[in-house]
Amino acid sequence: MKPIRWLLLSLFALLLAACASGAPLVTPGRTTAGGDLSIDAGMEWTRMGTPREQLWTIDGPLLNSLHLVPTVREGEFIFLGQKQTKRRPDGAFYHRGMRPDELRDLIADGMRATGAVNVATSNLRPVSFGGREGLRFEMTLDSESGLKYRAMAAAFEHDRGLALALFYAPVEYYYPRDEAKVNAMLDTLRWK
């Protein structure tokens, strides 16, 4: 199954589970984003997912999504779901100690693997997340159907692997509307 189809099926399953369970609402303030990862939510979100990964959205996953992965483990696909093997040695697989530019490229490659096209990154910079050195950067990308998106990413290593946060929304209306609040939120990522 193509990675984009896997990602879309996963998102669909998360949405169905959220609808069935009444999807928990994230209110502004400090909250756990799965495992030992926490973030200050600057606005209300609907939360879907598991302790391994969460998808937060305001208007729906195709209109704005904050993807939070508390721990990408050694040899795992950057957005989970696959592991590096001898038969599948290449791909967007995380390895401890990667340089910031390698992590940026890994995340961009992961977006390509899930079906994004015309992925371009910019503004790679170091950021401290509660004393843990990490990185932030922005991306532009298109969906397979041609919808243009902007994205921002934050990542840092901890004792169990890599913590990752990725926000993406269409260039028109949704990204500009939420950009400042989400940007401030990503700076508050912490590992307990």
Side-chain angles (χ1 to χ4, degrees):
M1 183 179 293
K2 283 186 168 181
I4 188 65
R5 288 190 184 127
W6 176 85
L7 181 64
L8 289 174
L9 286 174
S10 296
L11 289 174
F12 184 69
L14 287 171
L15 284 172
L16 285 177
C19 292
S21 66
L25 185 66
V26 176
T27 56
R30 194 94 193 143
T31 188
T32 301
D36 290 329
L37 185 65
S38 67
I39 189 170
D40 281 333
M43 56 191 143
E44 288 186 349
W45 297 81
T46 299
R47 176 194 327 230
M48 300 162 266
T50 67
R52 285 265 6 246
E53 66 178 317
Q54 291 189 6
L55 177 74
W56 294 11
T57 186
I58 300 166
D59 302 297
L62 297 177
L63 298 177
N64 43 39
S65 292
L66 177 59
H67 192 171
L68 298 159
V69 182
T71 305
V72 180
R73 297 180 186 128
E74 181 75 21
E76 275 188 317
F77 179 66
I78 192 69
F79 300 121
L80 308 179
Q82 300 175 17
K83 285 195 116 5
Q84 186 174 24
T85 64
K86 288 182 181 180
R87 294 183 72 192
R88 187 182 10 197
D90 299 325
F93 300 112
Y94 164 73
H95 295 285
R96 183 169 290 287
M98 296 176 88
R99 295 185 320 260
D101 62 318
E102 292 174 322
L103 286 170
R104 175 204 58 208
D105 294 346
L106 181 73
I107 295 165
D109 288 346
M111 293 301 291
R112 288 180 191 99
T114 60
V117 294
N118 302 322
V119 178
T121 63
S122 62
N123 197 20
L124 176 64
R125 60 202 179 276
V127 176
S128 178
F129 297 100
R132 295 181 187 274
E133 289 305 311
L135 60 99
R136 296 275 316 269
F137 67 94
E138 283 75 45
M139 286 188 284
T140 58
L141 54 114
D142 299 342
S143 69
E144 289 177 319
S145 63
L147 186 59
K148 297 192 177 310
Y149 284 85
R150 285 190 60 201
M152 60 179 80
F156 64 90
E157 286 188 322
H158 51 78
D159 55 331
R160 295 186 209 151
L162 181 76
L164 171 65
L166 176 67
F167 173 75
Y168 51 94
V171 171
E172 291 186 29
Y173 183 72
Y174 294 97
Y175 190 89
R177 180 193 72 183
D178 300 327
E179 179 180 14
K181 286 183 179 180
V182 175
N183 189 45
M185 285 175 59
L186 293 185
D187 285 337
T188 70
L189 287 167
R190 298 291 182 268
W191 188 256
K192 293 182 183 178

